[in-house]
Amino acid sequence: VISCPPLKIDKGSFVEMLQRSAGEWPADAGDRSMVVGRGTIEVQRVRERREAPRRPEENATRSAAPLDRSGFLSQWEERSRRYEVAQHKPLFVSPTALKERDTALPERFEQKLPSVGETDPLLIGTLAHGFLEELDFSTRPETFEEELASYVKRQPDRLLGPDPAGILQELRQIFQIFFRSSVFAELASATILGREIPLLIPSGGQVMEGVIDLLYERDGSLYIADYKTDRTVPEDWARVSGPYRRQGEIYSLAVRQSLQREIKAFKLIFLRAGKAIELEIDAPQGELFLL
């Protein structure tokens, strides 16, 4: 559609070039087809008055039905509500963060700030995970102390702090129990499929991120394991299953959709006790984003 005033056509404009190509256009010419080069243009002339539209009559304005803005207002109220929720909702969330949020008060089995003379539990947990990540589970239990000492020695001084000997001693106490446990014997006989596996999954408008400590296969079944260095007693173990069950569901969802295989169980391995709790979980349905 080309529109232009009839009295003035700018030189060099598209309409002016079109007019030159089509030749003279009689003022009284009506609708018609005209040949331009190898093509044909259908022309329909529309005449309109060059006047500004007049205001409607006062009576007509008053008789117009009032606009219903309720739907529009409610839509924007809902948008504002969702915006406020999104503003206070972090983009990334982790299973650990969800566990802490769902737990109203700290439980006895949760790690706390160290007392005077104690090592930092977070540091001990980090070092224990790092050691297990690179450990060959076929290692004989009697040789682990040499490997543990070599591992700690490779860590930067800023990480170990002023008491590396104390840290090594606590790690040694943890793994002395673990290496002589039936849990370690099970891992030594299993096929290790992955360690410290990062994952990202969409979850409720957020991105769920986490790290699976251990994925292994034994007797044809898949297991997910999560290491814990908490100071626990057997009386606490039953209560542990609740807060960590959601973590197991998320991890199982990622593994299930990545490998297209079912998960036999999610296990919490308490290194200090050399014991494991096996949680039977049903992975929720969802869409895998990345693993």
Side-chain angles (χ1 to χ4, degrees):
V1 178
I2 301 173
S3 62
C4 66
L7 300 180
K8 182 181 178 181
I9 299 177
D10 295 333
K11 187 176 181 180
S13 65
F14 180 76
V15 175
E16 192 267 340
M17 289 187 290
L18 183 61
Q19 190 177 58
R20 282 192 285 107
S21 300
E24 292 297 326
W25 185 261
D28 59 348
D31 299 345
R32 71 171 191 174
S33 299
M34 63 179 182
V35 178
V36 179
R38 297 183 180 179
T40 302
I41 299 178
E42 299 291 335
V43 179
Q44 180 180 7
R45 176 171 291 186
V46 179
R47 297 183 180 275
E48 293 292 342
R49 298 175 59 182
R50 292 178 293 167
E51 296 179 0
R54 293 183 299 175
R55 293 183 178 180
E57 298 292 338
E58 185 176 354
N59 292 338
T61 304
R62 291 181 178 178
S63 63
L67 295 176
D68 182 9
R69 297 183 176 88
S70 58
F72 177 79
L73 294 176
S74 61
Q75 184 180 38
W76 274 100
E77 288 176 358
E78 176 62 19
R79 288 178 177 177
S80 298
R81 186 193 66 79
R82 294 201 306 265
Y83 175 79
E84 289 298 323
V85 172
Q87 285 291 97
H88 297 87
K89 193 175 186 180
L91 177 60
F92 289 89
V93 67
S94 67
T96 302
L98 292 179
K99 180 183 75 68
E100 293 174 353
R101 185 192 68 183
D102 294 340
T103 304
L105 297 174
E107 301 286 353
R108 281 190 298 157
F109 57 79
E110 291 185 345
Q111 295 177 339
K112 303 177 179 63
L113 293 176
S115 303
V116 177
E118 292 184 355
T119 54
D120 184 353
L122 181 59
L123 173 60
I124 293 297
T126 300
L127 292 173
H129 278 72
F131 178 61
L132 290 171
E133 181 182 5
E134 64 180 46
L135 178 70
D136 182 358
F137 286 115
S138 63
T139 300
R140 292 180 301 168
E142 57 270 19
T143 65
F144 90 90
E145 291 197 23
E146 181 180 346
E147 295 192 30
L148 179 61
S150 174
Y151 167 76
V152 173
K153 187 176 181 179
R154 296 196 306 271
Q155 305 308 307
D157 294 338
R158 58 179 175 80
L159 177 64
L160 299 178
D163 187 21
I167 291 176
L168 176 59
Q169 179 60 25
E170 183 165 355
L171 289 172
R172 183 180 291 115
Q173 292 173 356
I174 292 173
F175 288 112
Q176 279 177 342
I177 297 174
F178 175 67
F179 272 88
R180 289 170 173 77
S181 68
S182 58
V183 179
F184 177 76
E186 177 180 328
L187 297 180
S189 63
T191 301
I192 306 301
L193 302 181
R195 312 187 199 202
E196 300 298 319
I197 308 169
L199 65 89
L200 292 175
I201 283 183
S203 176
Q206 296 173 287
V207 179
M208 178 71 66
E209 61 178 350
V211 177
I212 299 175
D213 290 348
L214 185 66
L215 174 66
Y216 66 96
E217 182 177 16
R218 188 168 184 268
D219 297 332
S221 299
L222 290 184
Y223 295 87
I224 299 173
D226 197 68
Y227 302 123
K228 301 299 176 186
T229 55
D230 308 63
R231 298 179 182 275
T232 62
V233 293
E235 290 77 12
D236 286 329
W237 293 348
R239 292 188 295 159
V240 172
S241 60
Y244 287 111
R245 190 176 300 277
R246 191 173 183 184
Q247 177 182 359
E249 291 175 350
I250 294 169
Y251 288 175
S252 297
L253 170 64
V255 174
R256 173 186 290 180
Q257 295 195 359
S258 294
L259 302 182
Q260 298 298 309
R261 292 183 59 184
E262 294 299 320
I263 305 302
K264 178 72 172 181
F266 172 67
K267 293 191 175 187
L268 298 175
I269 299 178
F270 293 93
L271 300 176
R272 293 180 186 270
K275 301 291 184 181
I277 295 179
E278 184 173 304
L279 304 180
E280 294 184 1
I281 46 87
D282 293 323
Q285 298 301 314
E287 180 181 355
L288 181 68
F289 181 71
L290 175 66
L291 177 61

